[in-house]
Amino acid sequence: MEQLQLAQLGSGIAIGFGAIGAGLGIGIATKGLMDAISRQPEVAGKAVGFFLVGAALAEACALYAFIIAYLLMAK
Amino acid sequence: MEHWLYSINLSGHTLTFNLDTIFTMWFAMIVIIIFSLLATRKLSLVPNKLQAFCEGIMNFFWGIMGSMNTAKEHVPLIASLFLFIVIANLMGQLPLRIIHLKTGELASPTNDINLTAGLAVIVLIYYVTAGILKKGPKFFLHELSFTGIVTMFVEILEMVTRPLSLAIRLFANIFAGEILVSIALGAFAYFAPLPIMLFEIFVAFVQATVFMMLTIAYVSSATGQEH
């Protein structure tokens, strides 16, 4: 295959595998939030703030993969 | 995404400036400087509306520092980082792209990895300095044992990975948002980008909060009793 096609294939693989981890992470974080709120509804406001920070941290992993994918495509 | 590059030659070395980033960065800083000058011009015991608003913002930072058990003396760094990053991220949604450059475009300055890396290096220098001032040589080596030496090497490794992840996280979020907006613009112009741009306003605040929270965590782990 040519180099461009290989780069496109690689960028697809990169963003795909990166998104798996971020999706799992945000899913687990949401599960934890739901558990916490259903157990103690009065902590909802505080828990959502921490959830957003944690979800942003998990989401960043997918964005690292996105940067790799973009760098591969931009070559 | 291309930038508006300007190179100068300095005795054999080439220095390259990203002029669009410098321009937008100073725009963001001027906004903050003018705002804070206006807010602190006539301070009084009974605050007017602007002063009350700014006191609310400062109370927010003090509350966060209190809830994370960090000394209040670090508030200036935390507050200026948060305010600068918020203003810089929100600038990406301003219609500054109307001004055409030769290459590149005027968007938020945080879509340039050089700026976010600079912010991350500031945080690194700050927390290492604060830790050394607080603990002296014990900042590096807690105890002379196998565990202590292994911990020392892990912490030296963290000095590389922490600023790296800080810089790339902020950069990648803003950059991905702009790519997403431009893709949506190509798909269905003027309507598809709108919800994404609204989401980007939310992302701007969340990313600034994440940067601030991680900075607080690093500083408090460097100056706290137990690591």
Side-chain angles (χ1 to χ4, degrees), chain B residues 77-117:
Chain B
L77 175 87
I78 306 299
S80 38
L81 273 179
F82 180 82
L83 291 177
F84 175 71
I85 293 173
V86 162
I87 302 282
N89 288 351
L90 288 178
M91 270 178 64
Q93 316 311 324
L94 289 182
L96 284 175
R97 291 181 182 80
I98 291 173
I99 307 167
H100 278 286
L101 307 177
K102 268 181 294 183
T103 56
E105 56 186 15
L106 292 178
S108 55
T110 37
N111 77 349
D112 187 352
I113 194 160
N114 299 306
L115 187 132
T116 56

Short mmCIF file of all heavy atoms in Angstrom, two decimals, chain B residues 77-117:
data_model
loop_
_atom_site.label_atom_id
_atom_site.label_comp_id
_atom_site.label_asym_id
_atom_site.label_seq_id
_atom_site.Cartn_x
_atom_site.Cartn_y
_atom_site.Cartn_z
N LEU B 77 -1.64 32.47 41.73
CA LEU B 77 -1.34 31.64 40.55
C LEU B 77 -2.60 30.94 40.05
O LEU B 77 -2.90 30.98 38.84
CB LEU B 77 -0.29 30.59 40.91
CG LEU B 77 -0.01 29.62 39.76
CD1 LEU B 77 1.04 30.16 38.84
CD2 LEU B 77 0.38 28.27 40.26
N ILE B 78 -3.35 30.34 40.99
CA ILE B 78 -4.53 29.57 40.59
C ILE B 78 -5.54 30.49 39.90
O ILE B 78 -6.06 30.17 38.82
CB ILE B 78 -5.17 28.95 41.85
CG1 ILE B 78 -4.15 28.14 42.63
CG2 ILE B 78 -6.35 28.11 41.49
CD1 ILE B 78 -3.59 27.01 41.89
N ALA B 79 -5.79 31.65 40.51
CA ALA B 79 -6.82 32.55 39.98
C ALA B 79 -6.40 33.08 38.62
O ALA B 79 -7.21 33.12 37.69
CB ALA B 79 -7.05 33.69 40.95
N SER B 80 -5.14 33.47 38.46
CA SER B 80 -4.76 34.04 37.17
C SER B 80 -4.74 32.97 36.09
O SER B 80 -5.13 33.24 34.95
CB SER B 80 -3.42 34.76 37.26
OG SER B 80 -2.54 34.09 38.08
N LEU B 81 -4.33 31.75 36.44
CA LEU B 81 -4.39 30.67 35.44
C LEU B 81 -5.82 30.43 35.00
O LEU B 81 -6.10 30.37 33.79
CB LEU B 81 -3.83 29.37 36.04
CG LEU B 81 -2.34 29.12 35.95
CD1 LEU B 81 -2.01 27.80 36.60
CD2 LEU B 81 -1.90 29.09 34.52
N PHE B 82 -6.73 30.31 35.96
CA PHE B 82 -8.12 30.01 35.62
C PHE B 82 -8.72 31.12 34.75
O PHE B 82 -9.30 30.86 33.71
CB PHE B 82 -8.95 29.83 36.89
CG PHE B 82 -10.39 29.53 36.64
CD1 PHE B 82 -10.78 28.24 36.35
CD2 PHE B 82 -11.34 30.53 36.67
CE1 PHE B 82 -12.10 27.96 36.11
CE2 PHE B 82 -12.66 30.24 36.42
CZ PHE B 82 -13.05 28.95 36.15
N LEU B 83 -8.53 32.38 35.18
CA LEU B 83 -9.16 33.48 34.44
C LEU B 83 -8.57 33.58 33.03
O LEU B 83 -9.30 33.75 32.06
CB LEU B 83 -8.97 34.79 35.19
CG LEU B 83 -9.76 34.85 36.50
CD1 LEU B 83 -9.46 36.14 37.22
CD2 LEU B 83 -11.24 34.77 36.21
N PHE B 84 -7.25 33.44 32.94
CA PHE B 84 -6.64 33.55 31.61
C PHE B 84 -7.12 32.43 30.71
O PHE B 84 -7.44 32.66 29.54
CB PHE B 84 -5.11 33.52 31.72
CG PHE B 84 -4.44 33.50 30.39
CD1 PHE B 84 -4.45 34.63 29.60
CD2 PHE B 84 -3.83 32.37 29.91
CE1 PHE B 84 -3.86 34.63 28.36
CE2 PHE B 84 -3.23 32.36 28.67
CZ PHE B 84 -3.25 33.49 27.90
N ILE B 85 -7.19 31.20 31.22
CA ILE B 85 -7.58 30.08 30.36
C ILE B 85 -9.04 30.20 29.94
O ILE B 85 -9.39 29.91 28.80
CB ILE B 85 -7.29 28.74 31.06
CG1 ILE B 85 -5.78 28.58 31.19
CG2 ILE B 85 -7.83 27.58 30.28
CD1 ILE B 85 -5.37 27.40 31.99
N VAL B 86 -9.90 30.68 30.88
CA VAL B 86 -11.31 30.85 30.51
C VAL B 86 -11.45 31.87 29.40
O VAL B 86 -12.11 31.62 28.38
CB VAL B 86 -12.14 31.25 31.74
CG1 VAL B 86 -13.45 31.84 31.32
CG2 VAL B 86 -12.40 30.05 32.59
N ILE B 87 -10.81 33.03 29.57
CA ILE B 87 -10.93 34.07 28.55
C ILE B 87 -10.35 33.57 27.22
O ILE B 87 -10.94 33.78 26.15
CB ILE B 87 -10.20 35.35 29.00
CG1 ILE B 87 -10.78 35.84 30.32
CG2 ILE B 87 -10.31 36.43 27.95
CD1 ILE B 87 -12.06 36.56 30.21
N ALA B 88 -9.21 32.89 27.31
CA ALA B 88 -8.56 32.42 26.08
C ALA B 88 -9.41 31.38 25.37
O ALA B 88 -9.53 31.41 24.14
CB ALA B 88 -7.19 31.84 26.42
N ASN B 89 -10.01 30.46 26.13
CA ASN B 89 -10.84 29.44 25.48
C ASN B 89 -12.09 30.06 24.87
O ASN B 89 -12.50 29.68 23.78
CB ASN B 89 -11.27 28.39 26.50
CG ASN B 89 -10.13 27.50 26.92
OD1 ASN B 89 -9.07 27.57 26.33
ND2 ASN B 89 -10.35 26.70 27.92
N LEU B 90 -12.70 31.01 25.59
CA LEU B 90 -13.94 31.59 25.07
C LEU B 90 -13.69 32.42 23.83
O LEU B 90 -14.60 32.61 23.02
CB LEU B 90 -14.59 32.45 26.15
CG LEU B 90 -15.22 31.67 27.29
CD1 LEU B 90 -15.78 32.63 28.31
CD2 LEU B 90 -16.32 30.78 26.78
N MET B 91 -12.46 32.92 23.67
CA MET B 91 -12.17 33.74 22.49
C MET B 91 -12.32 32.95 21.19
O MET B 91 -12.48 33.55 20.13
CB MET B 91 -10.74 34.27 22.57
CG MET B 91 -10.65 35.58 23.26
SD MET B 91 -8.95 36.04 23.34
CE MET B 91 -8.62 36.21 21.62
N GLY B 92 -12.25 31.61 21.27
CA GLY B 92 -12.42 30.81 20.06
C GLY B 92 -13.80 30.95 19.46
O GLY B 92 -13.99 30.71 18.28
N GLN B 93 -14.79 31.35 20.28
CA GLN B 93 -16.16 31.50 19.75
C GLN B 93 -16.44 32.91 19.28
O GLN B 93 -17.52 33.18 18.77
CB GLN B 93 -17.19 31.10 20.80
CG GLN B 93 -16.86 29.84 21.56
CD GLN B 93 -16.48 28.70 20.66
OE1 GLN B 93 -17.02 28.55 19.58
NE2 GLN B 93 -15.54 27.89 21.12
N LEU B 94 -15.50 33.84 19.46
CA LEU B 94 -15.70 35.18 18.93
C LEU B 94 -15.47 35.17 17.42
O LEU B 94 -14.67 34.39 16.92
CB LEU B 94 -14.71 36.16 19.59
CG LEU B 94 -14.92 36.50 21.04
CD1 LEU B 94 -13.87 37.51 21.48
CD2 LEU B 94 -16.28 37.08 21.25
N PRO B 95 -16.15 36.04 16.69
CA PRO B 95 -15.94 36.06 15.23
C PRO B 95 -14.67 36.80 14.84
O PRO B 95 -14.69 37.71 14.01
CB PRO B 95 -17.20 36.76 14.73
CG PRO B 95 -17.61 37.62 15.84
CD PRO B 95 -17.23 36.91 17.10
N LEU B 96 -13.55 36.43 15.44
CA LEU B 96 -12.29 37.10 15.09
C LEU B 96 -11.76 36.63 13.74
O LEU B 96 -10.85 37.25 13.20
CB LEU B 96 -11.23 36.80 16.16
CG LEU B 96 -11.36 37.57 17.47
CD1 LEU B 96 -10.34 37.07 18.45
CD2 LEU B 96 -11.15 39.04 17.21
N ARG B 97 -12.32 35.51 13.22
CA ARG B 97 -11.79 34.98 11.96
C ARG B 97 -12.15 35.88 10.78
O ARG B 97 -11.69 35.64 9.66
CB ARG B 97 -12.35 33.59 11.73
CG ARG B 97 -11.82 32.56 12.70
CD ARG B 97 -12.41 31.20 12.37
NE ARG B 97 -11.96 30.18 13.30
CZ ARG B 97 -12.48 30.00 14.50
NH1 ARG B 97 -13.45 30.79 14.92
NH2 ARG B 97 -12.03 29.05 15.29
N ILE B 98 -12.99 36.89 11.02
CA ILE B 98 -13.33 37.84 9.95
C ILE B 98 -12.07 38.54 9.46
O ILE B 98 -11.92 38.81 8.28
CB ILE B 98 -14.38 38.84 10.48
CG1 ILE B 98 -15.70 38.12 10.68
CG2 ILE B 98 -14.55 40.01 9.54
CD1 ILE B 98 -16.74 38.97 11.33
N ILE B 99 -11.13 38.81 10.40
CA ILE B 99 -9.88 39.44 10.03
C ILE B 99 -9.02 38.39 9.34
O ILE B 99 -8.60 37.42 9.97
CB ILE B 99 -9.16 39.99 11.28
CG1 ILE B 99 -10.09 40.91 12.05
CG2 ILE B 99 -7.91 40.71 10.89
CD1 ILE B 99 -9.58 41.25 13.43
N HIS B 100 -8.76 38.57 8.06
CA HIS B 100 -8.02 37.55 7.32
C HIS B 100 -6.53 37.76 7.47
O HIS B 100 -6.02 38.87 7.34
CB HIS B 100 -8.41 37.59 5.85
CG HIS B 100 -9.66 36.85 5.57
ND1 HIS B 100 -9.73 35.48 5.58
CD2 HIS B 100 -10.91 37.28 5.31
CE1 HIS B 100 -10.97 35.10 5.32
NE2 HIS B 100 -11.71 36.18 5.17
N LEU B 101 -5.84 36.67 7.74
CA LEU B 101 -4.38 36.68 7.75
C LEU B 101 -3.89 35.95 6.52
O LEU B 101 -4.66 35.30 5.82
CB LEU B 101 -3.85 36.00 9.01
CG LEU B 101 -4.40 36.51 10.34
CD1 LEU B 101 -3.84 35.68 11.47
CD2 LEU B 101 -4.02 37.95 10.53
N LYS B 102 -2.58 36.06 6.28
CA LYS B 102 -2.02 35.34 5.13
C LYS B 102 -2.13 33.84 5.33
O LYS B 102 -2.64 33.11 4.49
CB LYS B 102 -0.56 35.75 4.93
CG LYS B 102 -0.42 36.92 3.97
CD LYS B 102 1.04 37.29 3.77
CE LYS B 102 1.65 37.82 5.04
NZ LYS B 102 3.04 38.26 4.88
N THR B 103 -1.64 33.37 6.49
CA THR B 103 -1.84 31.97 6.85
C THR B 103 -2.35 31.95 8.28
O THR B 103 -2.08 32.86 9.06
CB THR B 103 -0.52 31.18 6.79
OG1 THR B 103 0.42 31.84 7.62
CG2 THR B 103 0.01 31.07 5.40
N GLY B 104 -3.08 30.89 8.60
CA GLY B 104 -3.60 30.80 9.95
C GLY B 104 -4.83 31.66 10.13
O GLY B 104 -5.34 32.27 9.18
N GLU B 105 -5.32 31.68 11.37
CA GLU B 105 -6.53 32.45 11.65
C GLU B 105 -6.50 32.88 13.10
O GLU B 105 -5.77 32.32 13.92
CB GLU B 105 -7.76 31.59 11.38
CG GLU B 105 -7.75 30.30 12.19
CD GLU B 105 -8.89 29.40 11.83
OE1 GLU B 105 -9.50 29.62 10.80
OE2 GLU B 105 -9.14 28.48 12.62
N LEU B 106 -7.29 33.90 13.40
CA LEU B 106 -7.36 34.38 14.78
C LEU B 106 -8.43 33.58 15.51
O LEU B 106 -9.61 33.76 15.27
CB LEU B 106 -7.70 35.86 14.81
CG LEU B 106 -6.63 36.80 14.27
CD1 LEU B 106 -7.12 38.21 14.33
CD2 LEU B 106 -5.37 36.66 15.06
N ALA B 107 -8.00 32.67 16.36
CA ALA B 107 -8.95 31.89 17.15
C ALA B 107 -8.46 31.95 18.59
O ALA B 107 -7.73 32.87 18.95
CB ALA B 107 -9.02 30.46 16.64
N SER B 108 -8.85 30.98 19.41
CA SER B 108 -8.38 31.04 20.79
C SER B 108 -6.89 30.74 20.83
O SER B 108 -6.40 29.88 20.09
CB SER B 108 -9.15 30.05 21.64
OG SER B 108 -9.06 28.78 21.10
N PRO B 109 -6.14 31.45 21.68
CA PRO B 109 -4.69 31.20 21.73
C PRO B 109 -4.34 29.82 22.25
O PRO B 109 -3.25 29.34 22.00
CB PRO B 109 -4.18 32.29 22.67
CG PRO B 109 -5.35 32.73 23.42
CD PRO B 109 -6.51 32.56 22.53
N THR B 110 -5.27 29.17 22.97
CA THR B 110 -4.94 27.86 23.51
C THR B 110 -5.01 26.76 22.46
O THR B 110 -4.82 25.60 22.79
CB THR B 110 -5.87 27.51 24.67
OG1 THR B 110 -7.16 27.99 24.37
CG2 THR B 110 -5.39 28.11 25.95
N ASN B 111 -5.30 27.08 21.20
CA ASN B 111 -5.21 26.02 20.20
C ASN B 111 -3.79 25.93 19.64
O ASN B 111 -3.57 25.28 18.64
CB ASN B 111 -6.23 26.23 19.08
CG ASN B 111 -5.81 27.29 18.10
OD1 ASN B 111 -4.88 28.03 18.33
ND2 ASN B 111 -6.52 27.38 17.01
N ASP B 112 -2.85 26.57 20.33
CA ASP B 112 -1.44 26.46 19.99
C ASP B 112 -0.74 25.74 21.13
O ASP B 112 -0.85 26.17 22.28
CB ASP B 112 -0.86 27.86 19.78
CG ASP B 112 0.55 27.79 19.25
OD1 ASP B 112 1.09 26.68 19.20
OD2 ASP B 112 1.09 28.84 18.90
N ILE B 113 -0.04 24.65 20.81
CA ILE B 113 0.54 23.87 21.91
C ILE B 113 1.67 24.63 22.58
O ILE B 113 2.00 24.37 23.75
CB ILE B 113 1.01 22.49 21.41
CG1 ILE B 113 1.30 21.59 22.61
CG2 ILE B 113 2.23 22.59 20.56
CD1 ILE B 113 1.30 20.16 22.31
N ASN B 114 2.25 25.61 21.93
CA ASN B 114 3.34 26.35 22.56
C ASN B 114 2.84 27.11 23.78
O ASN B 114 3.53 27.18 24.80
CB ASN B 114 3.95 27.31 21.56
CG ASN B 114 4.52 26.59 20.37
OD1 ASN B 114 5.32 25.70 20.54
ND2 ASN B 114 4.07 26.93 19.19
N LEU B 115 1.64 27.69 23.66
CA LEU B 115 1.12 28.46 24.80
C LEU B 115 0.75 27.55 25.96
O LEU B 115 1.09 27.83 27.11
CB LEU B 115 -0.10 29.27 24.35
CG LEU B 115 -0.63 30.22 25.40
CD1 LEU B 115 -0.84 31.56 24.81
CD2 LEU B 115 -1.90 29.71 25.98
N THR B 116 0.07 26.43 25.66
CA THR B 116 -0.32 25.55 26.76
C THR B 116 0.91 24.92 27.41
O THR B 116 0.94 24.71 28.62
CB THR B 116 -1.27 24.46 26.26
OG1 THR B 116 -0.63 23.78 25.20
CG2 THR B 116 -2.55 25.04 25.78
N ALA B 117 1.95 24.64 26.59
CA ALA B 117 3.18 24.10 27.17
C ALA B 117 3.83 25.14 28.07
O ALA B 117 4.36 24.80 29.14
CB ALA B 117 4.14 23.68 26.06
#
